[in-house]
Amino acid sequence: MMQWGTLRERLLARHIPGPGVWLACLVLVAVLALPTPDNLPLAGHRVLAILAFAVTLWLTQAVSYEVSAVMIVALIAFGVGLSPSLSQPDQMMGTSTALKLAMSGFTSGGTVLVAAALFISVAMTLTGLDKRIAMLILSWIGVGYGRILISTLLVTVVLSLFVPSATARVACVVPIMMGMIAAFGEERDSPFAAGVMIMVAQATSVWNVGIQTAGAQNLLTTSFIQRVSGESLDWLTWFVAGAPWSLIMSVVLFFVVRWAMPAHAHGIEGGRERLKAQLAELGPMSRNEKMLLWVVLGLLVMWATGGKLHPFDTASVTVVGLAVLLLPGIGVMDWKQVQSRIPWGTLVVFGVGISLGSALLATQAGQWLGNTVVQGLGLDDVAPFWLLAALSLFLIVIHLGFASATALTSTMMPIMLALLVALDQVQNVPGLAMLLGFAISFGFILPINAPQNMVCIGTHTFTSGQFAKVGVPVTLIGYGLMLLMAATWWHWLGLL
């Protein structure tokens, strides 16, 4: 029987849309054919159909995320544009107005911050500062199996602060760790190699929760929260809430990996000296490395003190830092160096994701869906704690079908926010929405659930089964820890 991937590749080679595209179109038509509820505008009905179309494309991976983004923009422009205006029902909204809605995500501060994060990641690679940081930590901790796992955790934490892109962080660490595996004389399919690479991927996901700028899904969540509530969650608020969970889960992850992937290698003769020698080969810090380090440290300070010591938002501050890095004679890179290294498709997907969420809210589709869920599930009187328990579990389970936390956020966060707004017992909508954003980063079970997982499994050091052997207990313990923190730390912070 022909595999789905092989069939899709053959159809694409012949320029024939695959089954996933036809299924998405069928879902679109089916939702459009349903009667429009009395309390839902026609534009909202059509946006829900577009959402169902997008989710089908993402789940089947029928086309790339970039192509799906262009299709979503086109559908919003005409589907919403040819609908009655919400303010003047006797007139069409117009494709021009709808197109502005479809492109509104590109004016979001979150999109600006993601763009700046990608630029900073390029600067890290060009200067070699990311490699220096990783090698420095590895040489400091040592090279035994357990020590390498600890080193990987520390490298992940530090790079999560300096490199605001999960994929870029993993791309930096993987070659270094593969070198360490070779130095131990271990085979690629050994438990040692599997444990190290699984740790790289899982630790990255763990710290996506603790640091707001570590993952694009966090910035997307923050953007939606600001649009709905008018409140902006600053970097320090996110860190105070999420970092304790990430810290505890780092310890859990260490012991789970040691249990699931036991290795017999204990060290290599002269291992630390070898690392120090490799670090010495890098030479003293260059002028560009020092400049980049100062800029990033300055950004960290500004992010952490926003709204407290100064009134500037995270995105605006980051753009200033980016301008310094690009400034001729002062910066560390030029436009030509950046242009070929930036994954521009990431920005397109992120911007359209915000636009789709904004369309759900602007056409009242999100609010209608939220109210429907509240009434259907009887959530009117459910305490915020149990609401978090139910909704976070739902997000963790549904993430199994998504290959991108950004796509999951674009789909679910506007609906979650509309639901929270509809509930009288929720006193802190931004706070509870942020905690649900933590659950979206739970890509621990399947390699396909996060780009960093795919980078690591591409080294052929572990199987999907080995990854799940670590991921399942990490997910269960992580969810249990969320509930414990909801009853204690997050409750004391007033987030529930």
Side-chain angles (χ1 to χ4, degrees), residues 138 143-153 156 173-174 176-181 184 186 188 190-203 253 257-258 261 263 456 459 461-462 470:
L138 284 169
V143 292
Y145 178 51
R147 289 175 178 267
I148 282 187
L149 295 181
I150 295 174
S151 299
T152 302
L153 282 167
T156 301
V173 175
V174 162
I176 298 172
M177 303 316 296
M178 288 301 293
M180 293 302 303
I181 291 168
F184 269 88
E186 295 283 345
R188 280 178 177 251
S190 66
F192 179 92
V196 170
M197 279 301 137
I198 290 174
M199 176 65 83
V200 171
Q202 301 283 27
L253 181 60
V257 171
R258 288 295 298 265
M261 298 292 134
C456 290
T459 62
T461 54
F462 61 87
V470 173

Side-chain angles (χ1 to χ4, degrees), residues 435-447:
L435 300 183
L436 292 176
F438 293 171
I440 287 177
S441 289
F442 273 53
F444 300 119
I445 297 178
L446 300 178

Side-chain angles (χ1 to χ4, degrees), residues 306-330:
K308 298 171 178 63
L309 299 183
H310 63 83
F312 310 118
D313 64 279
T314 302
S316 298
V317 167
T318 308
V319 169
V320 173
L322 177 59
V324 172
L325 295 177
L326 287 167
L327 194 63
I330 297 178

Side-chain angles (χ1 to χ4, degrees), residues 7 60 65 79 113 120 158 173 175 292 304 375 409 418 440 470:
L7 173 62
T60 60
Y65 283 103
L113 191 54
I120 292 173
V158 174
V173 175
L292 177 58
Q375 296 170 5
T409 306
I440 287 177
V470 173

Side-chain angles (χ1 to χ4, degrees), residues 23 84 165 225 332 380 403 417:
L23 178 61
S165 168
I225 290 173
V332 303
D380 305 74
L417 280 163

